[in-house]
Amino acid sequence: FMADLGDERGMNMILYKEGRRIFLTFNTNGDATEKEFSSLIPSNLNICDASAKHNQYEIISHNSNGYVDIDGDCLNDLLIMSIDKSSQKYLEIWKGVLENNQIKYCLTSSNVYPLDSNFGLFSIVDVDRNAMPDIVFPVLNSYPPKIVVAYNKVAIKYDWTDNYCDTHEATSIDDGTIPTFFEQIKIDVNNNFIATITLTNDEQVTFYTNNNDDSDFLRFIDINQDSYPDFITILYNKSSTAKTPFIFLSQEIIYSSSYKGDERRTFSKENIYSFSSISNANFASFFDFGDKGKM
């Protein structure tokens, strides 16, 4: 996983090595220096008074990370899907904070979410279009296939017409107040912020998984240009053993000024293209090959 993780204006590659997390910072001349991941954690307990034990958990895969401003304070936050020695999965949300005008990352116990073992790799996308990023998990080994949407519960801090981060400084948290982003994430939870969505009634079909992590994925894009994200994935048919790509379209909800994200999205399976002839797919994505604005 690579991102600009601070004010160094360089790319950082996060690795798991010899039982600890490290990151490589690539300089402008191409050289890389190795640093401990723990150096990203603030030393000021008023900024972040939290245990660093999760820093030792193994990162599940090179795809199980995200880097996004999840709470709208103009500082990107670090999302990591990890696993401990007992094979318990976790979603960690490391909150971006400022310490001595340097960007650091804080993880509190409220923002460590134990995950069911059947949760696949997450995708970050604003499902309900309320300007706050949500997280979507495929539920592996579920017949019929399901996804779990963790809707972001942090209130929007700015007007829809305000390009907030172009006109405001990043928020400095100096009182130890770190927001909790989601209610506890479990498959059987279906409340205001967590939604389990059944994609199709076909009891023979589920997400395709194997020993590598290139298949249990969701790729989101607004393919029909209705302003709501759709996704493509690979589904496995246990009867025919076919591994076929499917596109699922997000169902439209008309926006109103009173919209607070309480309405929930659904997705319908659409054979937009004849994918049925593909029976051994392993990966799918979107790209505008024709340069015509169509994916």
Side-chain angles (χ1 to χ4, degrees):
F1 169 65
M2 298 186 70
D4 180 0
L5 288 177
D7 55 4
E8 300 170 34
R9 300 296 183 264
M11 295 303 291
N12 295 265
M13 179 182 291
I14 299 179
L15 306 171
Y16 185 78
K17 178 181 178 181
E18 298 175 349
R20 71 190 197 281
R21 296 176 187 177
I22 63 173
F23 65 95
L24 299 178
T25 298
F26 293 85
N27 304 318
T28 54
N29 59 6
D31 296 333
T33 57
E34 183 175 312
K35 297 182 180 180
E36 293 290 337
F37 183 87
S38 57
S39 66
L40 292 172
I41 302 173
S43 57
N44 185 339
L45 296 182
N46 288 327
I47 296 177
C48 180
D49 184 7
S51 170
K53 69 174 184 177
H54 289 271
N55 181 35
Q56 305 302 319
Y57 289 174
E58 184 172 358
I59 298 173
I60 286 182
S61 82
H62 58 281
N63 286 330
S64 62
N65 307 277
Y67 190 58
V68 67
D69 181 6
I70 204 167
D71 57 353
D73 69 348
C74 301
L75 290 174
N76 280 335
D77 309 303
L78 179 62
L79 282 65
I80 294 177
M81 198 168 175
S82 62
I83 191 168
D84 64 16
K85 293 181 179 179
S86 66
S87 299
Q88 171 65 57
K89 289 182 178 180
Y90 300 91
L91 173 67
E92 307 170 16
I93 299 181
W94 292 77
K95 175 73 180 67
V97 296
L98 291 177
E99 183 181 48
N100 299 324
N101 292 322
Q102 291 188 335
I103 300 175
K104 299 293 183 72
Y105 295 88
C106 178
L107 181 72
T108 67
S109 58
S110 297
N111 287 320
V112 176
Y113 302 90
L115 301 177
D116 189 280
S117 60
N118 284 322
F119 272 45
L121 301 182
F122 65 83
S123 300
I124 301 172
V125 61
D126 183 6
V127 176
D128 52 3
R129 299 294 292 140
N130 69 343
M132 302 300 282
D134 310 306
I135 299 180
V136 185
F137 300 88
V139 181
L140 311 180
N141 304 311
S142 61
Y143 294 91
K146 298 180 176 66
I147 62 173
V148 168
V149 182
Y151 288 97
N152 196 334
K153 59 179 275 187
V154 178
I156 300 173
K157 301 177 182 178
Y158 46 88
D159 297 331
W160 283 82
T161 56
D162 181 11
N163 197 354
Y164 187 81
C165 290
D166 286 345
T167 57
H168 294 73
E169 295 292 331
T171 302
S172 177
I173 296 178
D174 56 8
D175 60 359
T177 303
I178 305 293
T180 300
F181 302 104
F182 306 103
E183 299 292 349
Q184 196 73 4
I185 298 174
K186 295 179 181 179
I187 288 180
D188 59 353
V189 172
N190 191 355
N191 58 28
N192 284 339
F193 305 107
I194 308 295
T196 302
I197 299 173
T198 301
L199 299 176
T200 173
N201 292 324
D202 190 343
E203 295 288 348
Q204 299 294 315
V205 174
T206 189
F207 290 102
Y208 170 58
T209 60
N210 57 15
N211 291 330
N212 63 55
D213 61 10
D214 292 331
S215 302
D216 54 326
F217 72 97
L218 308 171
R219 291 290 182 267
F220 280 87
I221 199 169
D222 179 13
I223 195 171
N224 60 351
Q225 298 178 339
D226 68 348
S227 299
Y228 285 95
D230 315 301
F231 70 90
I232 190 170
T233 190
I234 305 295
L235 295 181
Y236 170 73
N237 188 303
K238 64 182 178 181
S239 177
S240 66
T241 71
K243 299 184 286 289
T244 305
F246 287 97
I247 287 179
F248 289 84
L249 289 184
S250 178
Q251 301 301 288
E252 183 178 7
I253 290 178
I254 303 300
Y255 173 77
S256 70
S257 59
S258 61
Y259 177 66
K260 298 182 182 303
D262 294 330
E263 296 86 354
R264 292 303 174 224
R265 310 300 298 171
T266 59
F267 294 86
S268 65
K269 184 172 65 175
E270 298 288 339
N271 293 312
I272 298 177
Y273 303 106
S274 181
F275 293 141
S276 59
S277 61
I278 302 175
S279 61
N280 198 28
N282 189 54
F283 189 82
S285 190
F286 294 101
F287 190 80
D288 180 9
F289 281 100
D291 292 329
K292 297 179 179 179
K294 301 288 186 181
M295 297 295 115

